[in-house]
Structures are given as structure tokens and as C-alpha cells.
Amino acid sequence: MARQRDISLLLHIKPSKHWYLLTCSLLVLSNRHECRSNLHSEERKGPVEEKHVPFFEVETNMILVDTCGDLYGEGDTSFDLVYKAKANVLGDAFQRMGMGKYQWHLFCLTGLGWFSDNLWPIVTGLLLQPTMNEFRYQGAWIKVAQAVGALVGCVFWGVSSDIWGRRWAFNFTLFITGVFAMAAGASPNALVLCALVASWNVGVGGNLPVDSAVFLEFIPPTHQYLLTVLSIWWAFGQLVGSLVAWPLFVNFSCASEDDCPRSSNQGWRYFLFCMGGLMTLLFFLRFFVFHLYESPKFLMSRGRDSEAVEVVRAIARYNGKESSLTVDVLTRCDELAQQEIESGPIPANDTSAKAALWRTLRMLSGSHVKALFATPKIAFTTALLIVIWALIGLAFPLYTGFIPLFLSTRGADFGDGSIDVTYRNQVILSVVGLPGALIAGWMVDLPYLGRKGTLATSTIATGVLLFAATTARSSNAFLGWNCAYSVTSNIMYGVLYAISPELFPAKNRGTGSALVASANRILGALAPIVAIYTNLTTSVPIYVAGSCFIVAGLLAFLIPFEPRGKASI
């Protein structure tokens, strides 16, 4: 009787809300998945008017997550009805499973992608001074090589993860990075060094588009805030790079370019051997120690429902639990869709080789990109994210990528620009930035801030602090402003890396992440060119970077969706 009463309530939903009917009917009829109405049972007697349509939610000890809906809202029909229903069913399965061993292990292993993403820009920044001394070239070109390689990587790995799956991209990005970085340690000249820098960044560029999608698609909706907390690994990347570089560069580097043969300047080479070796070790840890299952949402989006269900059940067993999800529940989506969609039945899924080839060609033709601009509201969101990522992509490397050089030149102006003091200050900045990720994870679930508010305020604060840094009249004051910048920029990037994949549906998530990351890398490639023509010994690059941060923060307020408390699909 209770089930019939729930169904009668659902039937009062408007025809324009078919996907609500489809998803919640499935969860009720399956005997294993239930939607709980926020109406008390004693208030459900008698006919229910349309204005009393129940809001379905799962209550947790943190926030309320609407697991029967999604962040795009009830009236948005731009995404496939069946896909939405199945995505919500899978999300509910992970919600019931909870945050178990598999998810926490994945938190650590996907964190290595964040670790790598910040480590390697720091590496190229640390390489500037010693390689300029040895090869006597315009050091900004190494940053151009970094940006070009990362651009190629984020486009290739992001799009390919939506076509061929997450597993291979997830595993091999670290391997490519490690192999080419170790090879770069033997570079005989600046040209070879820049070529190898571009090559290892092909691997680096794929880390976040893929790793954020992987993590988001395996965790329960109530724990999506952990995508923000993952940025603590990003801060650790900077810290590890700075700690390893400090003794190597101090003891095995030339003081200036006046007398700098290779034999006296081995520090940066040892550094690349260490960091490349570390990436290779982490690849073996991912590939041979941990078994990554293919994303259930990716499998479902490719018509492989039985494999998706088996993955969910296997992860539940890994966590010491049992999942009651069955293929019948996902199959029921297709059956109900045929009954509900007025435009006609959904064609049967063709599993032939010819059909598989055609689906791949259609994806390569740009349908994933078109889906991100399917309606004015979604197109506006995608465009805003692209602009925000692009502005931050110019600002962040323009300043952070040259921090060791800024610390050295400003220190020299203040009378303490030695190699030891420069890298000591770099380590201090790395340590101070660590709490940023934890602060971000707390702020994104605050009712009056959420993802949007946290992103906007932290980005504006980051820009303001850069302007403030130009007022420093001592080395310690300059270091102090940079410490504050380190905290706010870690908060900013933590939220930015989380909100973007949350706003994209799983079947287009890799492409969407690749699109915004590409904008970030393209503008990042311009950063060293701006640096060349604005003179790194002046404050002009800092003014440009600060202005970009402030504009990006203001634009973040305009994002029409707030992912807080909503399940990603």
C-alpha cells in the first residue's frame, strides 16, 4: 500500500517532469531503492494537489542531497532522459554503499594526479635559473613548451577518456610524465630540453580532466565535497618539489652564468631524475597494486549496463558490503522511457561492430562538445567556465611559474637573494599553502557560500594579494604577502577543479573538463610571452596577473548553477 501511495504521488508530476517520474518510479518499484519524501506519512492522506509535489532527498549528517534529481533542474530536457535516470540510479547505489575502502584508496590514487599537476609547473619554474645559467637562453620558452605540451595532453586524454574509457588514460599519464622527465635530465642543450618538457607535459595535461572524472563517478553524492579536498595533494606536489630542489640546487648549481659548465651545474639534472623516477614509481603503484574498475557511468553511457552493475557490485564487495543493484533496474529505465516519451519508442541498442564504429565516429565528430552548448543556460555556464579557466590560466603561471625568479630578483633588491634563501622561501610558501585545500573543503558546503561563492571570493582575494605584494619594501614583507597568496590560490584551485566536473554530465565530463583545461593551457602558453615583453624585473606581470584573478572572481558569481547539495549525473 505504501508503494502504491508513493506512485500515486508521483503521477501528479507535470508531463514536463518526466525524468522525475522515471527515476523515482524506478527507485520505488525496484524494492531495493527508495526515495524518501520530505512529507510526513500522516500528511499524505487524500488527493495531493500539484503544488504539493514532494521533494525527494536523502538526509545525511552533512547536507541534503537530491539523489532523485540532478543539478540541472527539473525542466531541463537537454540531456537524454534515460541517461539521466540511469545516472541517478547509479548515484543512489553509491549513496547506499557509502564511502568505503575503495573510495578512500581512490582518493589517494586520484590525488596523485593533483600532485603531478602542481609538481611539474613548479619543476619548470625551479629549472629556470640554473638552465638559463648553463644554456644562456630566454628561459620563458621553457614555460611555452610546458603550456603547449599540457594543452595537447588535456585535449587528447580528456576527449579519449569519453570515447575509450577512463582506465588507460588514468594509468598512463603518470608513466609518460616520468619517462620523458628522466630523459630531460640528460638534455645537451636548450632545444632538446624544451622538446622534452613539452613531451612530459602531454602526460601532465591529462591528469585532472581524467582523474576528477574518475573520482567523481565512484563516490556517493554526499561526498562530492571531497573533490575540493583533493587539492591538498596539489599543495603537496608543490611542497615535495620545493623540498627536493632546495638541497640539490644549493649544492650542485652555478651561482651565475659567468662561469657555469655542465659539470658544475648538475643539480637540476639530479632533480629531474628524482622527480621522473618518482612519477614512474607512482605509475607502478596505480597500475600493478590497485585495480581501477572502469567507470559505471561511462559503461552505462555506452550501453554496457550489465558491466556497470557488475562494477558497482564488485566495489561493494571490496568495501565488505553487498549491493542490491541489478541489471533489471537499469533495463526498466528503457521500458518506462518507451511508455513516457511522446515522440515515440527508443530504438533498441545496436551492439554490432558497425554500430560501435558509428558511435565512435559520431563522438569524434563533436557531439560531446555540442552537448555542452545544448541550451542557452548550459551554454552560458560552459562559456563562463571557459573564460574563468582561461583568465586563471594566464594569471597563475604568469606569477606562480616565475615565483623562484621573483623571489631571487626581489631578494637581490632587498639584499638577500642567495640561492639558499630563494629555495628556503619557496619551501615556506609550499608549507603555508597546505591548509588551503582543507579550508576550501569546509567553505564549499557553507549555506551562503557554496561552490560559487567560495570560488569567487578566493579568486578575488588572490588577485588583491598580488597587488598588495607590490607594496613590499623588504624581503620578509614580500614573503608574507606571498604566503597569504599561497593559501587563497590553493582554495581557489581546489574549488575550480571541483566545480567544473560537477557541472558536466558523466558522458561529456571528460570532454567538458578537457575544454576548460584547454582554455587554461592556451592562455597559459601566452603567460611566458607576456612575461618576456613586460620584463620580469618589474611589477607589470604581477599587475596583469592580479587583474585577471579579480575579473575571473567576479565572473564566478554569474555561474547559474550551484552544485552544493546536488548529485552530479
Side-chain angles (χ1 to χ4, degrees), residues 157-463:
W157 294 113
V159 175
S160 67
S161 71
D162 280 343
I163 298 175
W164 297 298
R166 321 292 199 211
R167 287 184 63 194
W168 290 106
F170 179 79
N171 285 316
F172 281 98
T173 49
L174 294 182
F175 178 74
I176 290 172
T177 303
V179 169
F180 283 106
M182 288 189 289
S187 300
N189 54 54
L191 180 62
V192 173
L193 175 63
C194 288
L196 291 171
V197 167
S199 299
W200 88 51
N201 275 283
V202 171
V204 174
N207 282 316
L208 289 185
V210 176
D211 290 17
S212 60
V214 167
F215 185 69
L216 190 60
E217 291 164 19
F218 281 98
I219 59 174
T222 50
H223 287 71
Q224 286 179 192
Y225 72 94
L226 288 175
L227 194 61
T228 301
V229 180
L230 268 172
S231 62
I232 194 169
W233 291 94
W234 201 71
F236 273 119
Q238 179 178 351
L239 176 60
V240 170
S242 301
L243 283 173
V244 175
W246 186 6
L248 292 176
F249 283 30
V250 168
N251 294 305
F252 302 99
S253 295
C254 303
S256 69
E257 65 178 17
D258 295 333
D259 182 22
C260 192
R262 175 170 176 167
S263 59
S264 301
N265 198 43
Q266 293 289 332
W268 68 270
R269 299 178 188 275
Y270 297 152
F271 181 52
L272 285 179
F273 294 148
C274 291
M275 295 297 97
L278 176 61
M279 289 297 106
T280 306
L281 177 63
L282 296 180
F283 156 72
F284 280 104
L285 183 64
R286 273 188 175 185
F287 193 75
F288 294 106
V289 177
F290 180 80
H291 177 70
L292 176 72
Y293 293 99
E294 186 54 83
S295 162
K297 287 184 179 179
F298 169 79
L299 293 170
M300 174 271 293
S301 71
R302 299 300 301 273
R304 295 151 66 180
D305 290 354
S306 60
E307 294 179 57
V309 170
E310 182 52 40
V311 167
V312 172
R313 296 174 71 88
I315 293 172
R317 289 193 296 270
Y318 188 93
N319 290 343
K321 298 182 179 181
E322 287 295 330
S323 173
S324 56
L325 180 66
T326 65
V327 179
D328 293 338
V329 179
L330 296 181
T331 303
R332 183 69 173 147
C333 288
D334 298 311
E335 296 173 359
L336 287 177
Q338 289 186 3
Q339 299 170 14
E340 294 294 329
I341 297 179
E342 298 177 355
S343 59
I346 297 175
N349 185 30
D350 189 348
T351 58
S352 66
K354 180 180 178 181
L357 176 61
W358 175 243
R359 283 194 297 268
T360 300
L361 291 175
R362 281 197 306 171
M363 284 185 286
L364 289 170
S365 70
S367 62
H368 283 286
V369 176
K370 292 178 183 177
L372 300 173
F373 296 88
T375 67
K377 193 173 182 180
I378 295 172
F380 181 66
T381 301
T382 303
L384 266 182
L385 287 175
I386 290 173
V387 174
I388 292 170
W389 274 79
L391 288 171
I392 293 176
L394 174 61
F396 190 78
L398 183 58
Y399 185 73
T400 306
F402 296 95
I403 272 185
L405 196 57
F406 286 136
L407 290 173
S408 177
T409 56
R410 300 305 188 275
D413 293 340
F414 300 137
D416 54 358
S418 68
I419 295 177
D420 184 57
V421 171
T422 296
Y423 290 104
R424 181 209 66 186
N425 290 349
Q426 178 70 34
V427 170
I428 292 173
L429 293 180
S430 304
V431 173
V432 169
L434 288 175
L438 301 178
I439 296 172
W442 167 69
M443 291 177 67
V444 294
D445 275 336
L446 293 177
Y448 298 104
L449 276 177
R451 271 66 158 169
K452 285 198 305 182
T454 304
L455 176 62
T457 54
S458 61
T459 306
I460 292 172
T462 300

Side-chain angles (χ1 to χ4, degrees), residues 50-169:
E50 183 179 79
K51 63 181 181 180
H52 293 129
V53 171
F55 176 80
F56 294 93
E57 60 191 25
V58 173
E59 187 172 356
T60 71
N61 59 355
M62 293 191 59
I63 57 174
L64 293 178
V65 177
D66 178 9
T67 59
C68 290
D70 58 71
L71 64 90
Y72 288 100
E74 302 173 12
D76 199 315
T77 59
S78 59
F79 292 109
D80 181 78
L81 179 71
V82 177
Y83 170 80
K84 281 200 210 177
K86 291 182 178 180
N88 286 323
V89 169
L90 291 173
D92 181 76
F94 279 112
Q95 180 63 47
R96 288 178 166 275
M97 187 189 307
M99 195 75 182
K101 285 192 305 180
Y102 187 89
Q103 284 81 9
W104 286 115
H105 292 167
L106 201 59
F107 178 86
C108 296
L109 291 172
T110 53
L112 300 179
W114 269 254
F115 178 91
S116 174
D117 187 77
N118 198 29
L119 169 65
W120 291 100
I122 294 298
V123 167
T124 51
L126 294 171
L127 292 180
L128 278 172
Q129 198 64 58
T131 58
M132 287 168 63
N133 288 342
E134 182 175 337
F135 296 137
R136 301 189 181 187
Y137 72 111
Q138 179 59 267
W141 290 111
I142 196 175
K143 303 299 288 186
V144 174
Q146 170 195 316
V148 170
L151 172 62
V152 173
C154 73
V155 171
F156 174 77
W157 294 113
V159 175
S160 67
S161 71
D162 280 343
I163 298 175
W164 297 298
R166 321 292 199 211
R167 287 184 63 194
W168 290 106

